[in-house]
Amino acid sequence: MKFGDYLRQKRENHNWTQPEAAARIGIEQSYLSKLETGKSYPSEDIYGRLSSIYDMDVQEMTASVFSAELDRLREINDVRAAVLKRQQNETRFMRGWLVAGLIMIMIGGAAVGIANTVPESARTENLYRSEGIVRPGEPAVIFEMLRAGSTEETGTLSERIDYDDRVLSENRGPSFIENVDGGYRVYKLLGTTRKVEVSPVRWLLSPGIMFILGGIACFYISRRWR
């Protein structure tokens, strides 16, 4: 607020009219009116009287009155000292936010950089399935024969079915044979899928962006309170 408005507010807090307040301060009512309307500013002597009569606290006054208004009161020792102290506090305040913003941006930039440095990897999975064990002396297509019902002495299809799936990173062709106890198994390719594995440090991207935005907000706050 303006210094004049501050004086008027102090007078009204005491429930005094201008003539009453002017009489207590020892000045003309017209001069008090000029002080309250901002047409005039007090000397150090008059400021001392105002401060005593209105119970003014210089710290509270400098925190309430606009900086441009305080510049007009810098010839008053108490006001000048309070203004310098406030400016020092504001400087420390701004530096604190600037340092915090710089640290946050550095951390955020490092996190984003790490998240983008380690690339995503892709791997291929080949699914092979064996329907069961092919006994010695039986053809590799024994299960197709059982399914077609062209053989009986080797048992039924339901009795012989014993699925075994293998997921391999390498493609071993449409089929391959693997020896097992009691015979061998024929593994046939059912399908191939390509899986993309996300980088293990990809999660750093979100907090990194948040740190950068937080740093920018710190810079904005420091300028806002300048």
Side-chain angles (χ1 to χ4, degrees), residues 17-41:
T17 63
Q18 274 193 355
E20 290 174 335
R24 290 174 182 271
I25 299 167
I27 58 176
E28 296 291 333
Q29 177 189 349
S30 59
Y31 181 50
L32 179 59
S33 176
K34 289 180 179 180
L35 292 175
E36 291 187 359
T37 56
K39 294 179 179 178
S40 183
Y41 290 86

Side-chain angles (χ1 to χ4, degrees), residues 126 128-136 138-140 143 162-170 172-189:
N126 301 284
Y128 287 89
R129 172 173 292 176
S130 169
E131 291 184 291
I133 298 175
V134 181
R135 298 167 184 168
E138 293 181 340
F143 288 95
D162 179 20
Y163 289 115
D164 182 51
D165 293 337
R166 296 285 183 87
V167 178
L168 305 176
S169 58
E170 62 174 326
R172 301 181 63 177
S175 65
F176 67 90
I177 294 175
E178 188 173 286
N179 293 323
V180 297
D181 292 338
Y184 62 92
R185 283 181 175 272
V186 178
Y187 290 89
K188 296 181 179 180
L189 180 63

Side-chain angles (χ1 to χ4, degrees), residues 59-134:
Q59 299 296 334
E60 183 236 344
M61 190 269 289
T62 55
S64 302
V65 175
F66 296 142
S67 297
E69 292 284 290
L70 294 176
D71 288 339
R72 298 174 179 268
L73 302 170
R74 290 179 70 90
E75 298 302 319
I76 301 172
N77 290 331
D78 290 345
V79 176
R80 181 168 61 252
V83 169
L84 289 175
K85 184 176 180 180
R86 190 179 76 168
Q87 289 176 343
Q88 290 172 351
N89 291 336
E90 289 178 348
T91 299
R92 285 195 293 268
F93 176 83
M94 288 187 293
R95 285 178 179 173
W97 280 105
L98 286 172
V99 170
L102 181 60
I103 292 174
M104 293 181 71
I105 287 179
M106 291 175 64
I107 294 175
V112 171
I114 293 172
N116 290 323
T117 298
V118 181
E120 296 178 343
S121 59
R123 60 188 176 89
T124 301
E125 292 184 347
N126 301 284
L127 177 60
Y128 287 89
R129 172 173 292 176
S130 169
E131 291 184 291
I133 298 175
V134 181

